[in-house]
Amino acid sequence: MPESVPVRCPACRRAHRFTTPSYPCACGAPVAPPLDPGGVPGTVDHRSWREEWITLRCGCCGLRGEWPRPELGCPCGTVLRIPVAGPGSAVPGSAVPAGRSGRAASRPVPVRTARDAVTAAVRYLRRLGHEDIRRADRRPPSGIALAGRGVLARVGPSDRPVTARDVECLWLTAMTESSACLYFSLTGYTGQARSRADTLRVPLFLLDLTGDPRPVNGPADTLDADGA
């Protein structure tokens, strides 16, 4: 079970319960920071690299790495930094695969902004073998377009689910450029979008708040397993 602690926002006094996220180590095991149940959360007033990351050791393989420091966004607008019990160690979880095709899992990027979503998509595409990813020259009707040699991707960071028209527009653009295509979304896909994507064989991925793209249809499962 993921570790969780009660948290109270010092600005509005609203009570929350924070559950620590886990991130995949290169060995495939989930890594999560040990939380301090008696600690007092601080507020994030400004950001710096040193404060954004914490060094943790994987409980399964012993590998040390830099991982996002736990944070919680309160509805009042305050960002809370969750206290960690002790540096240099991690809470081990049940093992998960590093990648169905044997590729080492890349370090996820926590998604808080549209830019974070694009960064997470770019990292995943590079993990598939596309090293030349850039912003596409042609601006799409919605979302953010990425392009590489032989591939087009669309990132939908808005608060509405991706529609069938969005999928069709991506597919048509890819067809004119003789490229493969895939879609990343923060808020999911309508039923019609999923059905249309299955027909057109467009891989669909969901970006959760940890920044880890999850396949949500058959073509995405195949791509995730076999790679580019």
Side-chain angles (χ1 to χ4, degrees):
M1 290 291 290
E3 186 180 7
S4 63
V5 294
V7 176
R8 186 175 295 277
C9 176
C12 69
R13 308 304 299 168
R14 187 173 306 189
H16 304 276
R17 188 154 199 94
F18 177 82
T19 300
T20 182
S22 62
Y23 305 97
C25 174
C27 75
V31 175
L35 304 180
D36 182 1
V40 178
T43 59
V44 180
D45 301 317
H46 65 278
R47 295 189 178 278
S48 68
W49 175 264
R50 179 172 296 181
E51 294 177 346
E52 290 285 323
W53 303 92
I54 183 172
T55 301
L56 298 175
R57 184 181 67 251
C58 175
C60 292
C61 71
L63 181 68
R64 288 182 178 270
E66 298 290 326
W67 306 96
R69 188 178 292 274
E71 291 181 358
L72 172 68
C74 180
C76 75
T78 303
V79 178
L80 308 177
R81 183 160 286 146
I82 309 302
V84 175
S89 61
V91 177
S94 57
V96 296
R100 296 183 185 89
S101 64
R103 296 185 307 273
S106 60
R107 184 174 67 193
V109 178
V111 175
R112 303 185 183 93
T113 66
R115 183 176 180 179
D116 293 338
V118 172
T119 300
V122 169
R123 288 198 175 193
Y124 184 79
L125 288 166
R126 286 175 177 168
R127 193 175 116 196
L128 290 178
H130 300 290
E131 296 293 338
D132 59 339
I133 298 299
R134 66 189 188 284
R135 290 289 289 267
D137 297 331
R138 184 184 304 181
R139 186 173 181 178
S142 62
I144 299 166
L146 301 172
R149 184 178 300 175
V151 66
L152 289 176
R154 186 75 50 81
V155 182
S158 70
D159 57 358
R160 68 168 179 83
V162 172
T163 66
R165 182 177 180 276
D166 296 329
V167 172
E168 290 170 350
C169 286
L170 172 62
W171 179 79
L172 286 170
T173 302
M175 286 289 290
T176 62
E177 299 186 14
S178 300
S179 296
C181 62
L182 59 159
Y183 219 118
F184 299 91
S185 174
L186 279 172
T187 51
Y189 304 85
T190 66
Q192 289 182 334
R194 290 195 182 204
S195 177
R196 194 65 178 137
D198 288 343
T199 300
L200 299 174
R201 305 299 297 169
V202 176
L204 303 180
F205 292 86
L206 182 66
L207 280 171
D208 61 24
L209 294 181
T210 68
D212 188 18
R214 305 292 184 183
V216 297
N217 69 343
D221 282 329
T222 301
L223 180 63
D224 191 59
D226 297 339

